[in-house]
Amino acid sequence: MMRLVQSVLFLVIFSLPVWASAQATGAPELPEVADVRVIVDISGSMKDNDPDNLRQPAVRLLARMLPENAYAGLWTFGQYVNMLVPRDRVDDRWREQMTNLSSEINSVALRTNLGKAIEVASDDYFTDGDLSHTDFILLTDGKVDISDDERVNRAERERILGPLLDELVSKGATFHTVALSTEADVGFLQTLAQETGGSYSVAPSADALNRVFLKALNAAVPQEQVPIDGNRFSVDSAVREFTALIFWGEDETSDTRELRLTDPDGNTARVDRPGNNMRWAREPGYDLITVTDPQDGEWRLNGELGEGSRVTVVSDLRMVVSPLPPVFSEKEPLQLQVAFFEGQDRLTDPGFLDVIEVRVTITSEDDRSGTKILAGEHPPENGLYQDTVGRLPSAGEYVIDVVADGQTFSRKFTAVSRFDLPEGQVSLPSEESVLPKPVAAVPEDPPEPGSEGEPAPGQQPQPKPAEDSTSAGPIDISAAEEPLAAPAGPEETETALPLWAMTAGGLVVIALLAGGVFAAVRRKRKTEPEPEKSPSDDEVPVIAPEESGGEEAPHEPEPDPEPVAEPEADPDEEIPVADAGDEDSSEEFGLEDFDLSEFEDLPDSDEDDEERKP
């Protein structure tokens, strides 16, 4: 009995982390009001790294792309810090102010006082010390430089990455850092981003600032889009406003750039002749077109659409995707959850969901991609589309696109995340093409029992996925994926429980299971007949003289016990068997779930298995 109780306790205790993780990953909710604070370096070194002052149009892009009613501000810094555009609610007046004042961004400062800039922009005055919904976008081309004495600079750097960073993390701040030039303190910027859950990017040149700033803004405030199909996109009746950001082609200039926008009625607009309810801004590298109360139907863009072009929308009918981490791995997989909202309410109406196809596309840095359709034939009853991505062939940065496509409705969500391999795993350098080039398998030491990939004594080995990968062996996440295979009903509680509640619940479950097992064993012992013992096994009882009148009674041999007939098996009784369908629910979500027609040069799984054999 003790072994049975121990087994039950083992299973319950080791399933608690999975249960807690599932509880901690709540369903997507409508985002809080955004608070974005932009910090821009104006030190003298920018004269070399940004000679054309392309920071100005990049900042204006942020001003025009920030969502209505968000809060935002702009700080510039060198030796001193200046709040160039005060933090305020984003509206037309604020956008105009930031657009006009962006012309004052220059390269005249003597020092790079990063610590002071961070402290001023994160001052408690704005949100009473709560930065849990605040994202900072920090652009610099250098490193901490407040003195001619390098010891002073090193001490200041340590202060920023020590006490100051700890304080920022405790307040919930998120930093998205952008390095302009190879001379920037990459380690400093990466640490600042990683410790606060933000993103880190490098702009190889000032010409790339627009796209890098847009990437940082999208990480801070993901905006809903409609997909562009070739040069066409569809607007439904729920859209109140759309903004088309169209990047130029590589060889285009302001003299050669030509772009026209045609509405569903065939009316054409251009930069010098915008249409009704239309604002058209042209900057070096991009066109930005905003249309209020647009006509529903198909719109056309006539001209070259550079990489990264998109159409964002403001709508009461929204697709909301759970926040995606900047980095994921096999041990910490990417949890993807998608829901649709009308106003404040999540949609569960089958009449709407039945005509919506939700698909996920993952694209590598060299434009290889794989696609998977979520939910299959039937939409989830609670309207929550979800799945897990835990394995990819190689480490690197991936673009994750979620597209919902219906008869008269379409939405798109885009995010960027990096997949990391386990420490010590062989991988290609990040600047090389990582996905299509297979890496030779490296012999590994046999795993110890109980370690990752090897079952402990008493545990059943997990089935290996058929998909091949150049990464390490798969981590069994079947326990986490089983509830995803069969989404719960609409009445399921979705709020994450606190740790104490999860712990208490786990202990109660353990106590109930242990008590149930103990009671079952006792009932079984009471109901089963005591087995007969053979004479050879019995001890001969000795009767004391005082109990038998002073004389020992002679021992009479007991008769042989009659054989007990075994109960006959009931031919109509069904023997319970394991459900074969459970095997599918334990399969891991990796690239084997995607349409990988483009990944033709990945090795076959059988060949990979042979390479891994010692």
Side-chain angles (χ1 to χ4, degrees):
M1 183 189 72
M2 288 304 299
R3 288 186 178 181
L4 181 58
V5 172
Q6 289 174 354
S7 300
V8 172
L9 293 180
F10 178 86
L11 292 174
V12 172
I13 291 174
F14 282 90
S15 66
L16 283 177
V18 175
W19 175 65
S21 175
Q23 292 293 327
T25 306
E29 300 177 352
L30 291 174
E32 299 285 342
V33 175
D35 180 11
V36 180
R37 307 182 193 181
V38 185
I39 308 172
V40 177
D41 188 345
I42 59 170
S43 59
S45 59
M46 282 291 185
K47 293 178 181 178
D48 298 325
N49 295 313
D50 185 16
D52 297 325
N53 223 340
L54 294 179
R55 286 162 292 163
Q56 294 182 3
V59 165
R60 290 195 288 269
L61 174 62
L62 294 183
R64 292 166 176 144
M65 292 294 293
L66 279 165
E68 193 84 9
N69 294 323
Y71 283 91
L74 171 64
W75 287 259
T76 58
F77 72 97
Q79 184 174 2
Y80 306 104
V81 182
N82 177 34
M83 186 168 64
L84 187 60
V85 180
R87 176 187 176 274
D88 205 346
R89 189 175 289 274
V90 174
D91 54 18
D92 290 340
R93 179 197 59 81
W94 184 92
R95 287 194 177 97
E96 182 179 1
Q97 182 184 21
M98 187 165 178
T99 299
N100 294 334
L101 290 177
S102 64
S103 61
E104 297 185 17
I105 295 175
N106 50 44
S107 308
V108 299
L110 298 178
R111 299 286 185 185
T112 308
N113 197 344
L114 281 162
K116 189 65 175 177
I118 293 171
E119 286 176 322
V120 172
S122 62
D123 193 277
D124 289 347
Y125 168 78
F126 300 109
T127 54
D128 296 327
D130 181 12
L131 300 175
S132 57
H133 301 297
T134 302
D135 290 81
F136 297 84
I137 298 177
L138 172 62
L139 168 68
T140 182
D141 70 336
K143 56 190 70 176
V144 175
D145 178 21
I146 61 174
S147 171
D148 291 334
D149 190 339
E150 281 302 314
R151 292 174 297 179
V152 175
N153 293 330
R154 286 196 298 269
E156 172 67 1
R157 185 183 189 274
E158 293 174 2
R159 182 188 75 85
I160 298 171
L161 296 182
L164 179 56
L165 180 55
D166 291 342
E167 181 181 0
L168 293 169
V169 171
S170 68
K171 294 179 179 179
T174 304
F175 273 79
H176 307 278
T177 57
V178 178
L180 179 58
S181 89
T182 56
E183 296 180 1
D185 190 342
V186 174
F188 173 88
L189 296 177
Q190 285 181 330
T191 301
L192 194 59
Q194 291 171 359
E195 293 298 319
T196 60
S199 61
Y200 163 76
S201 303
V202 177
S205 66
D207 294 333
L209 267 181
N210 288 328
R211 288 181 173 84
V212 173
F213 258 35
L214 182 64
K215 175 184 173 182
L217 177 63
N218 195 63
V221 191
Q223 292 181 283
E224 196 171 14
Q225 306 173 36
V226 293
I228 301 176
D229 185 8
N231 67 333
R232 303 168 184 264
F233 62 93
S234 296
V235 173
D236 56 80
S237 58
V239 173
R240 293 183 278 115
E241 180 179 278
F242 74 76
T243 298
L245 171 61
I246 310 301
F247 287 110
W248 296 1
E250 293 183 2
D251 300 327
E252 285 190 308
T253 65
S254 57
D255 295 330
T256 62
R257 176 61 172 172
E258 291 186 5
L259 181 67
R260 289 177 172 82
L261 177 64
T262 303
D263 67 18
D265 287 338
N267 301 313
T268 299
R270 59 191 188 194
V271 65
D272 58 346
R273 195 179 62 192
N276 296 330
N277 302 327
M278 184 180 299
R279 300 189 303 272
W280 193 314
R282 174 165 289 177
E283 296 279 3
Y286 67 87
D287 284 84
L288 193 71
I289 311 164
T290 300
V291 180
T292 305
D293 296 326
Q295 181 181 356
D296 56 306
E298 186 178 80
W299 293 66
R300 297 196 311 276
L301 291 160
N302 301 309
E304 187 169 357
L305 277 62
E307 180 184 355
S309 297
R310 64 193 62 193
V311 177
T312 61
V313 295
V314 178
S315 171
D316 292 328
L317 186 56
R318 307 177 61 181
M319 179 180 74
V320 179
V321 180
S322 57
L324 300 184
V327 179
F328 68 101
S329 63
E330 289 183 335
K331 291 186 177 180
E332 298 180 0
L334 186 148
Q335 304 287 344
L336 182 66
Q337 297 183 319
V338 184
F340 297 92
F341 286 80
E342 185 170 20
Q344 301 295 318
D345 301 324
R346 194 170 82 197
L347 294 174
T348 59
D349 179 15
F352 172 79
L353 298 179
D354 278 340
V355 299
I356 297 294
E357 178 185 85
V358 181
R359 59 182 181 272
V360 182
T361 300
I362 297 180
T363 306
S364 67
E365 294 173 284
D366 60 351
D367 293 330
R368 296 298 184 100
S369 63
T371 300
K372 177 182 180 180
I373 297 176
L374 301 183
E377 297 180 358
H378 304 289
E381 294 181 0
N382 62 353
L384 181 60
Y385 298 79
Q386 51 187 339
D387 229 321
T388 303
V389 181
R391 298 181 64 244
L392 292 172
S394 304
E397 194 170 78
Y398 290 84
V399 177
I400 300 159
D401 291 314
V402 180
V403 175
D405 193 6
Q407 295 176 353
T408 59
F409 170 86
S410 62
R411 292 292 184 270
K412 180 180 179 181
F413 168 89
T414 299
V416 177
S417 188
R418 180 175 182 83
F419 176 70
D420 278 352
L421 289 171
E423 185 177 355
Q425 174 69 33
V426 174
S427 62
L428 293 175
S430 59
E431 58 269 17
E432 292 187 17
S433 171
V434 297
L435 196 54
K437 299 179 181 179
V439 181
V442 177
E444 299 179 354
D445 295 332
E448 298 180 0
S451 64
E452 203 170 272
E454 181 71 12
Q459 289 182 309
Q460 294 295 325
Q462 298 294 335
K464 295 183 179 180
E467 182 237 352
D468 167 57
S469 172
T470 56
S471 61
I475 292 179
D476 176 26
I477 58 172
S478 58
E481 287 203 359
E482 285 175 358
L484 303 185
E491 298 181 0
E492 179 188 32
T493 300
E494 296 159 356
T495 304
L497 296 177
L499 181 59
W500 66 266
M502 292 188 288
T503 304
L507 294 177
V508 170
V509 172
I510 293 172
L512 292 176
L513 287 175
V517 171
F518 181 76
V521 172
R522 292 195 61 182
R523 286 196 301 270
K524 182 177 180 181
R525 287 186 171 181
K526 288 182 179 181
T527 56
E528 290 183 353
E530 192 73 23
E532 299 283 350
K533 295 183 179 181
S534 62
S536 59
D537 295 335
D538 289 340
E539 294 183 4
V540 179
V542 179
I543 302 176
E546 59 269 22
E547 296 176 352
S548 59
E551 294 183 5
E552 181 175 340
H555 175 65
E556 294 291 338
E558 297 182 2
D560 293 336
E562 296 181 3
V564 180
E566 292 291 331
E568 296 183 2
D570 186 356
D572 297 329
E573 181 181 1
E574 294 185 1
I575 300 176
V577 295
D579 185 4
D582 292 344
E583 296 179 1
D584 295 338
S585 63
S586 65
E587 291 181 359
E588 183 182 18
F589 177 170
L591 278 184
E592 70 273 9
D593 295 292
F594 288 89
D595 174 15
L596 297 180
S597 57
E598 296 188 39
F599 296 90
E600 296 178 351
D601 43 1
L602 288 178
D604 294 331
S605 58
D606 293 338
E607 297 175 359
D608 184 67
D609 291 339
E610 291 297 327
E611 291 178 358
R612 293 179 181 272
K613 292 182 179 179

